[in-house]
Amino acid sequence: MVRAQQADAAPDAEGAESASAGFDDVLAELRERRLEFREQRYVPKDFVARLKQVGIYRAATPTRFGGDQLPPAEFLDRIERLSAVDGSTGWVASFGSALTYLAALPLETQAELYRDGPDLVFAGGLFPMQRAEPTERGFLVDGRWKFASGCMAADVLGVGLPGDEDSAGKPRTAVLRPDQCEIVPEWDVVGMRGTGSFDLVVRGVEVPREWTFVRGGPPAVDEPLYHYPTIAYASQVLAVVGAGVARAALAHAEEIGGGRAGITGAPKLAERAYYRVEVARAEAALRSARAWFYDLSDEVWQTVLAGDEASDEQNAHLRLASAHLAKVSSDVVNGLIEVSGTAPIHIGHPLQDLAGDALVPKQHAFLGPGIYDSAGAVLMGLPPTTRGFR
């Protein structure tokens, strides 16, 4: 009951209207700057500061530390809207939800983290996990980690350590200050090029045990968001980036359909039956996958608000719906390319860039083919077949 009362608090109408206008301004600025981010391969601090201003990086901060927790579906909607403008920025912003991981830190550590305010940017290079020598105070961290999306603007960084007896085998994350890490800008990709998913190098830094947490471990904060399945939420925020990218591809296809005739003299795209059919199919597929995805999120959130824990079956459905949305989103973009003639073969064509962006969520370990196997196993009463499924 306490959790439900905390979550029911809502901003006043004037504040909500102001926040909405601010978010629209951020989207407008992003349209002007997305090529800049792509070319430099990361979203810079000044734009991340804009995302802070509209609440992206306090949406998962504990209310006791000044956070404005959003129901997951509301946060997912914001990430989808950002991703429809620029997938890379949506991807970086999605890690505003990663503060749910930090809820597993001791309360004293969290108080130190949020000492300067609730808007905290956390970026992690979690793989490959590197063994850290135990010390009297904690762990001696040394190694190199990949895929630290958003690290260039992060306030704190995390690196992945293997599980141990104290963590019941679940992996740990060591939390460090940026000045304790070296960022190596190794990121040459065709999709999500602007995410700055660079490597992190740490050399012989002792991290106190209280500055490590178990990923998916029990939260030290008893607030609603931290009872929503943590790993499932981490999967959802990535999947919805793909949905935003697919929406951008559909918007392009619908706009271009009536304006370009083929160089062979063929009719405009919108005058070709196969093009109209593919656009309609893509629209139906994306809307259907989104509807299931958001409905499930609301269902599980209502379970949490009622003071109950999400069931294994609900977690499996969340993971399944996320993997499905990521795949459908990628399929939508590729299907539109197939019916768009020779235009998309050119470097820099919008659909080619969007296809690369849509590929990334689908390929992520949280959303890959193995998730279907684990979800199916759980739904039939068996243990999941992949580690870290919950």
Side-chain angles (χ1 to χ4, degrees):
M1 182 61 70
V2 172
R3 282 189 258 152
Q5 289 173 345
Q6 290 173 336
D8 285 342
D12 58 55
E14 183 178 347
E17 184 177 346
S18 175
S20 178
F23 192 72
D24 289 342
D25 290 342
V26 166
L27 293 177
E29 181 179 343
L30 180 57
R31 290 187 186 94
E32 296 295 323
R33 300 185 64 187
R34 55 190 172 186
L35 182 58
E36 168 198 336
F37 301 166
R38 183 178 180 84
E39 289 178 345
Q40 70 185 15
R41 296 185 297 158
Y42 65 90
V43 181
K45 281 189 176 182
D46 71 290
F47 195 80
V48 170
R50 295 281 282 128
L51 295 174
K52 285 184 177 182
Q53 290 171 357
V54 295
I56 293 296
Y57 291 104
R58 64 172 59 194
T61 299
T63 56
R64 66 187 296 158
F65 298 121
D68 295 330
Q69 284 182 33
L70 288 179
E74 289 188 27
F75 183 78
L76 293 166
D77 177 71
R78 293 189 186 185
I79 299 306
E80 185 178 8
R81 291 175 64 194
L82 283 165
S83 302
V85 178
D86 179 55
S88 291
T89 303
W91 188 268
V92 169
S94 78
F95 292 102
S97 68
L99 300 188
T100 56
Y101 284 139
L102 301 185
L105 288 166
L107 284 176
E108 296 79 6
T109 304
Q110 293 187 54
E112 178 67 18
L113 272 174
Y114 299 114
R115 181 181 59 184
D116 296 327
D119 301 292
L120 190 76
V121 181
F122 172 64
L126 304 182
F127 298 100
M129 287 184 288
Q130 307 283 353
R131 292 199 174 276
E133 189 70 25
T135 68
E136 186 175 341
R137 297 179 60 232
F139 300 92
L140 189 63
V141 177
D142 192 282
R144 181 166 178 161
W145 293 261
K146 304 191 75 65
F147 301 118
S149 301
C151 61
M152 294 294 286
D155 300 310
V156 288
L157 296 165
V159 295
L161 311 179
D164 50 41
E165 290 184 3
D166 292 341
S167 70
K170 290 185 176 181
R172 287 185 180 274
T173 297
V175 179
L176 302 109
R177 301 185 309 273
D179 62 10
Q180 294 176 300
C181 306
E182 177 191 356
I183 295 174
V184 181
E186 184 174 293
W187 186 239
D188 188 14
V189 291
V190 297
M192 301 292 179
R193 185 170 176 79
T195 59
S197 301
F198 301 147
D199 292 5
L200 298 180
V201 176
V202 181
R203 293 302 180 207
V205 175
E206 186 178 28
V207 179
R209 183 171 291 270
E210 63 269 22
W211 284 87
T212 71
F213 64 86
V214 177
R215 293 209 300 278
V221 180
D222 186 20
E223 294 179 9
L225 188 59
Y226 312 116
H227 295 271
Y228 191 88
T230 305
I231 305 299
Y233 194 23
S235 304
Q236 286 186 291
V237 298
L238 302 181
V240 84
V241 173
V245 171
R247 173 51 57 198
L250 271 165
H252 172 81
E254 292 166 4
E255 179 183 359
I256 205 72
R260 185 180 71 82
I263 61 173
T264 62
K268 295 178 180 179
L269 290 171
E271 295 172 355
R272 308 177 198 183
Y274 65 82
Y275 188 82
R276 297 193 299 269
V277 167
E278 183 59 34
V279 169
R281 283 176 176 167
E283 187 72 51
L286 182 61
R287 285 181 177 269
S288 298
R290 284 183 73 261
W292 182 37
F293 175 87
Y294 278 104
D295 282 352
L296 279 172
S297 184
D298 183 65
E299 173 193 317
V300 177
W301 182 240
Q302 293 306 318
T303 296
V304 168
L305 290 184
D308 300 321
E309 295 298 320
S311 67
D312 289 342
E313 290 76 15
Q314 286 178 315
N315 180 72
H317 277 294
L318 286 175
R319 298 299 305 271
L320 180 59
S322 298
H324 180 63
L325 180 60
K327 185 179 187 307
V328 167
S329 299
S330 183
D331 290 348
V332 162
V333 183
N334 288 319
L336 295 172
I337 288 175
E338 290 178 5
V339 296
S340 294
T342 57
I345 70 172
H346 293 91
I347 293 174
H349 187 278
L351 287 180
Q352 285 294 358
D353 292 340
L354 292 169
D357 285 352
L359 177 66
V360 175
K362 185 180 73 169
Q363 299 300 110
H364 194 280
F366 281 0
L367 300 166
I371 300 305
Y372 289 84
D373 184 24
S374 279
V378 171
L379 295 177
M380 289 183 280
L382 302 174
T385 55
T386 55
R387 295 180 63 183
F389 189 69
R390 177 159 189 172

